C-alpha cells in the first residue's frame, strides 16, 4: 500500500483502534467516508464528499483512475473503436466541461484523459488507495461500517477499518452475463463474451455470429461487417435504432430539447416514427424483426451504421439461437449457420460481492438491487450506490448529483438529525420508484432512466433536504 506521505492523508493502520470484530483488529476512521472505486462515479463522489467537509478514503482495485473507461484495466469492456454514445455536452460533469475542440462523440482514450485531468484538477489522487480491493463491507452499530481490504489479487494481509459511511461505485458493466444454450459445450468453434473483445483483428477473415442487440452488439456487428468474411447478427426481439445525428445535431441534444419543452410522450413517439419513415423506412424489409414495444419504452439503440451494413448485405439479421452443434448453430426459424466465432454481446449483471445482497434490497436472490433513485437502500442511511443507471443520455452528470445528494444527507445527519430521519423515511417509502416510464422487464432494462425525469427527482430530494 502507498504510504501516508505519498497520499497526504492518515494511514488507516495508524488511526484509533476500535473494538475487534471476530478477533480481527479494526482501526476507527472516525467521520471519514469510504468510497469504493475510482471510475467516473467514484471520482465525483470523492470530490463532492470532500467539498462538503468529509474525509475520504477511496479504494481502487486497479492502478489508475477511469474504471471501465481505462482500457488497461482487466475488467474494462472498452475495445479499440469505443466512442461515447451520448454527446459531449450531455456526458461531461457539470463543473468540469470537456474541451470544446473535442468531437461530439469522443473516443475512449479522450474520455480516460478527461478523468485523469478531473482527478488532478480537484486533487483527488491523494485520497485514493490504488491496487487495493474491498473484500467485505459489514454494518456495525450506529449506522457505521467495517470495510475489509487487501491488495488486489489476494496478496498480503487483510485490513479492517471502520467508517462513518460508505459509497459504492464499483460499476455494473464488468461481470459478463452469459446465456445458456443446448449443445454449447460441444461447439468446436471459438466462443467469447463481448467483454473479451478488444481489437478488429479478432474478427478478421472469420465467419462471425454476434448474439445480442444492445449498443455493444450492434457496434460489434458493424465491426464484423468490415472485418469478417461473413457476419450474422442474432436478436431475440426487434429494437428501435436511432441515428447519432438528427437534423444536423447529436440525437440526444434534439431529444433533450423536446423533453425540456415537455413534449408529450405520444407526440415524441409520433415524431420518431415520422423521422424513421422519412429516412430508412420500414426496417422489417431489411430482415430486422419488428419491435414488440413502442419507441421510448426502452432506450433506442444509438447506431448510425447498422442499417447501412444490413442494407449492403454485409450483416445478415437472424433470429434467436435455438441450439449449438459441434459444427454449427441452429436458429429458431430452422436455418443452420456455420460460424467460426460466436460473440455473446449479452450484457452484464451488477455484482457487489463484498455486501450482503439483502442490504441492497435483493431479497429474492435475482441480483437486482431495490434502491430509491437507484442509489439509496432503505434502512441504511449511511450507505449509497452511485452510477447504477442506464440513462437516455450521459451518466456522469447524474452520478455527480447522486453523490451531492448523499453528501448533503450525511451532513444533515450531523447538523439536523430530525430532518435526516424524515429523509430516511422518504427513502424507505420511495424504493422501487421508476424514472423511465414503462420499460421491458429484463435485466438489461433494470436501471434505465430518463435523464430529465431522474434529475427532477434528485432536485426534489435536494429541496426536501433543505426544507424547501
Amino acid at each position: 500500500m502507498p504510504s501516508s506521505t505519498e497520499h497526504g492523508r492518515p494511514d488507516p493502520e495508524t488511526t484509533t483502534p476500535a473494538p475487534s470484530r471476530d478477533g480481527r483488529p479494526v482501526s476507527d476512521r472516525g467521520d471519514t467516508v469510504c468510497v469504493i472505486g475510482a471510475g467516473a462515479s467514484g471520482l465525483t463522489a470523492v470530490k463532492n464528499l470532500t467539498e462538503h467537509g468529509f474525509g475520504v478514503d477511496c479504494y481502487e482495485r486497479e492502478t489508475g483512475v477511469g474504471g471501465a473507461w481505462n482500457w488497461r484495466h482487466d475488467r474494462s469492456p472498452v475495445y479499440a473503436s469505443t466512442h461515447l454514445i451520448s454527446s459531449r455536452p450531455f456526458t461531461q460533469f457539470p463543473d468540469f466541461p470537456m474541451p470544446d475542440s473535442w468531437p461530439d462523440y469522443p473516443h475512449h482514450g479522450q474520455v480516460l484523459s478527461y478523468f485523469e485531468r478531473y482527478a488532478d484538477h480537484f486533487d483527488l489522487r491523494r485520497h485514493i488507495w490504488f491496487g487495493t480491493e474491498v473484500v467485505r463491507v459489514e454494518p456495525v452499530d450506529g449506522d457505521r461500517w467495517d470495510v475489509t481490504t487487501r491488495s488486489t489479487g489476494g496478496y498480503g494481509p487483510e485490513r479492517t477499518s471502520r467508517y462513518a459511511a460508505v459509497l459504492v461505485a464499483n460499476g455494473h458493466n464488468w461481470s459478463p452475463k452469459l446465456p445458456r444454450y443446448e449443445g454449447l459445450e460441444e461447439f468446436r468453434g471459438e466462443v467469447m463474451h463481448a467483454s473479451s473483445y478488444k481489437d478488429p483483428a479478432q474478427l478478421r477473415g472469420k465467419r462471425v455470429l454476434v448474439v445480442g442487440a444492445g449498443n455493444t452488439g450492434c457496434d460489434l456487428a458493424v465491426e464484423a461487417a468490415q472485418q469478417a468474411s461473413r457476419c450474422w447478427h442474432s436478436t431475440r426481439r426487434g429494437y428501435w435504432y436511432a441515428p447519432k445525428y438528427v437534423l444536423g445535431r447529436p440525437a440526444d441534444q434534439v431529444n433533450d430539447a423536446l423533453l425540456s419543452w415537455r413534449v408529450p410522450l405520444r407526440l415524441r413517439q409520433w415524431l420518431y416514427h415520422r423521422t424513421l419513415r422519412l429516412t430508412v423506412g420500414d426496417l422489417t424489409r431489411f430482415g430486422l424483426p419488428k419491435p414488440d414495444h413502442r419507441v421510448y419504452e426502452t432506450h433506442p439503440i444509438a447506431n448510425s451504421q447498422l442499417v447501412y451494413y444490413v442494407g449492403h448485405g454485409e450483416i445478415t439479421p437472424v433470429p434467436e439461437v435455438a441450439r449449438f452443434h459441434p459444427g454449427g448453430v441452429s436458429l429458431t426459424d430452422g436455418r443452420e449457420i456455420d460460424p467460426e466465432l460466436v460473440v455473446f454481446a449479452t450484457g452484464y449483471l451488477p455484482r457487489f460481492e463484498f455486501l450482503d445482497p439483502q442490504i441492497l434490497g435483493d431479497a429474492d436472490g435475482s441480483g437486482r438491487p431495490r434502491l430509491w433513485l437507484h442509489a439509496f437502500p432503505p434502512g441504511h442511511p449511511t450507505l449509497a450506490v452511485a452510477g447504477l443507471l442506464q440513462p437516455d443520455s450521459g451518466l456522469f452528470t447524474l452520478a455527480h448529483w447522486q453523490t451531492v445528494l448523499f453528501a448533503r444527507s450525511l451532513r444533515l445527519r450531523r447538523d439536523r438529525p430530525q430532518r435526516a430521519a424524515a429523509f430516511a423515511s422518504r427513502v424507505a417509502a420511495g424504493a422501487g420508484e421508476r424514472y423511465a416510464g414503462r420499460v421491458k422487464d429484463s435485466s438489461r432494462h433494470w436501471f434505465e432512466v430518463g435523464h430529465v425525469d431522474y434529475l427532477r427527482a434528485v432536485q426534489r430530494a435536494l429541496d426536501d433536504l433543505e426544507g424547501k
Side-chain angles (χ1 to χ4, degrees), residues 37-39 58-64 67 73 128-133 152:
C58 175
Y59 296 110
E60 168 55 55
R61 71 185 306 275
E62 303 289 351
T63 56
H73 294 175
I128 304 172
W129 295 82
F130 292 104
T132 305
E133 62 183 355
T152 301

Side-chain angles (χ1 to χ4, degrees), residues 173-191:
N173 287 324
W174 58 268
S175 180
K177 178 185 177 184
L178 290 166
R180 296 179 180 179
Y181 290 105
E182 182 182 354
L184 181 58
E185 298 80 5
E186 303 166 6
F187 179 61
R188 290 196 295 261
E190 183 183 355
V191 176

Side-chain angles (χ1 to χ4, degrees), residues 51 71 112 171 185 264 276 299 340 366 383 405 411 456 461:
E51 286 184 349
W71 61 271
L112 176 58
E185 298 80 5
L276 198 65
H299 297 335
E340 298 170 85
S366 65
L383 176 68
L405 179 59
R411 190 172 63 184
R456 286 172 178 159

Side-chain angles (χ1 to χ4, degrees), residues 40-41 69 84-87 90-92 172-173 215 252 255-256 259 296 298-302 373-374 386-400 402 435-437 439 444-455 458:
S41 300
W69 287 97
L84 288 173
I85 60 171
S86 55
S87 67
F90 286 88
T91 303
Q92 63 198 10
H172 65 280
N173 287 324
N215 288 298
D252 61 350
N255 185 52
D256 187 77
L259 291 170
Y296 299 126
T298 68
H299 297 335
I301 306 301
L373 291 174
H374 295 297
L388 193 62
L389 300 169
Q390 287 183 218
D392 57 353
S393 190
L395 171 66
F396 308 159
T397 293
L398 276 60
H400 166 87
Q402 281 182 322
Y435 311 94
V439 298
R444 181 182 165 213
H445 307 294
W446 280 352
F447 311 119
E448 284 193 358
V449 299
H451 74 286
V452 170
D453 290 339
Y454 188 84
L455 287 173
V458 172

Side-chain angles (χ1 to χ4, degrees), residues 101-400:
S101 60
W102 281 12
D104 290 329
Y105 297 98
H107 183 261
H108 71 81
Q110 293 173 303
V111 178
L112 176 58
S113 71
Y114 172 71
F115 290 139
E116 291 172 337
R117 288 204 292 264
Y118 181 88
D120 293 337
H121 179 79
F122 293 107
D123 193 21
L124 304 181
R125 295 181 195 269
R126 65 192 180 92
H127 301 284
I128 304 172
W129 295 82
F130 292 104
T132 305
E133 62 183 355
V134 173
V135 180
R136 287 181 299 277
V137 175
E138 303 161 292
V140 293
D141 293 340
D143 292 323
R144 293 171 65 80
W145 300 88
D146 281 355
V147 178
T148 300
T149 61
R150 67 186 177 195
S151 295
T152 301
Y155 303 105
E158 294 184 355
R159 300 179 177 88
T160 302
S161 303
R162 185 158 296 169
Y163 290 96
V166 172
L167 185 134
V168 179
N170 67 327
H172 65 280
N173 287 324
W174 58 268
S175 180
K177 178 185 177 184
L178 290 166
R180 296 179 180 179
Y181 290 105
E182 182 182 354
L184 181 58
E185 298 80 5
E186 303 166 6
F187 179 61
R188 290 196 295 261
E190 183 183 355
V191 176
M192 63 185 291
H193 188 271
S195 59
S196 299
Y197 175 75
K198 298 300 176 186
D199 189 87
Q202 294 171 267
L203 308 173
R204 195 163 297 146
K206 298 178 180 178
R207 299 186 303 276
V208 177
L209 169 63
V210 178
V211 179
N215 288 298
T216 298
C218 292
D219 283 350
L220 296 192
V222 167
E223 296 216 347
Q226 301 170 70
Q227 302 292 333
S229 62
R230 181 79 188 271
C231 174
W232 298 275
H233 187 203
S234 169
T235 60
R236 288 185 300 170
R237 61 172 70 96
Y239 292 89
W240 298 102
Y241 299 95
K244 282 194 167 184
Y245 286 91
V246 176
L247 304 176
R249 301 294 299 171
D252 61 350
Q253 296 180 24
V254 175
N255 185 52
D256 187 77
L258 296 175
L259 291 170
S260 66
W261 298 333
R262 297 182 183 269
V263 175
L265 174 61
R266 288 298 177 90
L267 180 54
R268 287 192 293 120
Q269 289 173 327
W270 180 87
L271 288 169
Y272 181 96
H273 287 294
R274 182 69 175 169
T275 302
L276 198 65
R277 284 197 298 271
L278 291 173
T279 52
V280 295
D282 182 6
L283 294 181
T284 61
R285 71 186 181 89
F286 294 108
L288 293 166
K290 183 178 179 180
D292 62 355
H293 56 282
R294 296 180 64 86
V295 67
Y296 299 126
E297 289 180 1
T298 68
H299 297 335
I301 306 301
N303 194 298
S304 299
Q305 295 180 290
L306 183 82
V307 174
Y308 173 89
Y309 281 105
V310 170
H312 284 71
E314 302 296 337
I315 298 174
T316 302
V318 296
E320 189 174 6
V321 171
R323 63 157 296 151
F324 282 78
H325 304 282
V329 176
S330 298
L331 304 172
T332 54
D333 64 356
R335 276 184 284 175
E336 300 281 337
I337 58 176
D338 59 342
E340 298 170 85
L341 170 64
V342 178
V343 183
F344 288 123
T346 45
Y348 301 84
L349 290 172
R351 289 184 65 184
F352 307 96
E353 300 162 306
F354 42 78
L355 268 171
D356 181 341
Q358 294 193 10
I359 289 176
L360 297 180
D362 178 20
D364 58 5
S366 65
R368 180 181 187 176
R370 306 284 177 168
L371 310 171
W372 182 58
L373 291 174
H374 295 297
F376 299 92
H380 297 284
T382 55
L383 176 68
V385 180
L388 193 62
L389 300 169
Q390 287 183 218
D392 57 353
S393 190
L395 171 66
F396 308 159
T397 293
L398 276 60
H400 166 87

Side-chain angles (χ1 to χ4, degrees), residues 403-466:
T403 58
V404 167
L405 179 59
F406 184 55
R408 292 186 185 176
S409 71
L410 293 179
R411 190 172 63 184
L412 201 68
R413 284 174 56 83
R414 180 190 63 200
D415 299 339
R416 304 178 67 183
Q418 288 185 333
R419 184 167 292 280
F423 181 74
S425 299
R426 174 72 183 88
V427 171
E433 288 181 358
R434 289 185 173 181
Y435 311 94
R438 187 166 71 90
V439 298
K440 302 294 288 184
D441 187 19
S442 72
S443 60
R444 181 182 165 213
H445 307 294
W446 280 352
F447 311 119
E448 284 193 358
V449 299
H451 74 286
V452 170
D453 290 339
Y454 188 84
L455 287 173
R456 286 172 178 159
V458 172
Q459 184 61 59
R460 288 193 297 271
L462 287 167
D463 291 343
D464 288 345
L465 281 179
E466 302 298 328

